[in-house]
Amino acid sequence: ITYFRADLDDEIDGLFCPPPDFVCTAINRPGESRRRGVEVTLDAEPSEQFQISLAYTYSDSRADDPNTADTTLAREVRRPLHSGSVNLNRSWLDKRLNVNVSAAYTGEREDDFFPPPFFFPAERVTLDSYMLLSLAARYRFTPQLTVIARIENALDEDYEDVYGFNTPGAGAYLGVRLGM
């Protein structure tokens, strides 16, 4: 279990495009921002063939809102209050066959939407929470030959990490590892 706290003054903002030429640069945003939370992890090995990892993070990230005179710290964009993961790993046949299942949860987050023609103030929008399921397996035929298969976003979850930007759908990968 880990408690964390970070208080920042004049945080670096990676996108500032002032008129009249709208050339973008990084600036130090006036005001303060803070991050506080708890991370909890649990790793267990019930047997030599089976491992489990659990992780959960509560993260409260807030900053002065440059678009208002309100002194209340607003939620920072793209930072979920809750996130977590579960990872199950099992091996068979003297560890020649290995199967891994993992699920990663990202909670609801806020983001900024810049309506056209892009010089209006940003509007806050809410990005939905999502869970991604991944599956992986490998089989070692010989010490020099292993076949690997992986499916990412196995349930083809439709999600956004940044408002309006696409993210990958389900993807399958197959590979061979040759060793000497």
Side-chain angles (χ1 to χ4, degrees):
I1 298 175
T2 303
Y3 169 77
F4 59 89
R5 176 182 172 159
D7 297 321
L8 303 169
D9 289 322
D10 303 326
E11 180 179 9
I12 295 172
D13 188 344
L15 184 61
F16 178 68
C17 309
D21 55 7
F22 298 100
V23 174
C24 296
T25 186
I27 63 164
N28 287 83
R29 188 172 58 198
E32 63 181 58
S33 65
R34 67 171 174 77
R35 287 152 195 84
R36 293 184 171 94
V38 176
E39 293 179 329
V40 179
T41 58
L42 172 68
D43 293 322
E45 193 170 323
S47 72
E48 190 176 321
Q49 294 81 25
F50 181 64
Q51 298 84 33
I52 183 170
S53 296
L54 305 170
Y56 168 76
T57 301
Y58 171 84
S59 179
D60 186 12
S61 301
R62 298 181 179 271
D64 285 328
D65 186 346
N67 298 318
T68 71
D70 187 357
T71 59
T72 304
L73 296 178
R75 295 277 319 266
E76 287 194 311
V77 297
R78 302 184 197 126
R79 295 181 189 259
L81 200 57
H82 304 280
S83 61
S85 64
V86 176
N87 190 341
L88 307 172
N89 196 70
R90 176 74 161 94
S91 61
W92 293 270
L93 305 171
D94 295 323
K95 297 189 177 183
R96 288 189 357 236
L97 173 62
N98 183 276
V99 175
N100 182 277
V101 177
S102 65
Y105 171 79
T106 300
E108 191 175 90
R109 289 109 39 245
E110 293 181 358
D111 202 355
D112 287 333
F113 165 61
F114 298 93
F118 304 111
F119 53 80
F120 293 120
E123 297 173 14
R124 278 289 166 113
V125 295
T126 300
L127 301 176
D128 291 333
S129 62
Y130 63 88
M131 184 171 301
L132 299 179
L133 179 69
S134 296
L135 310 168
R138 74 172 188 261
Y139 186 80
R140 189 181 73 242
F141 286 94
T142 70
Q144 293 80 26
L145 176 64
T146 302
V147 174
I148 303 161
R150 182 175 86 239
I151 300 174
E152 295 180 357
N153 191 5
L155 301 177
D156 199 23
E157 180 77 15
D158 186 22
Y159 65 101
E160 288 179 306
D161 281 325
V162 177
Y163 184 76
F165 284 79
N166 285 332
T167 49
Y173 306 86
L174 182 63
V176 175
R177 180 180 296 150
L178 298 173
M180 300 296 160

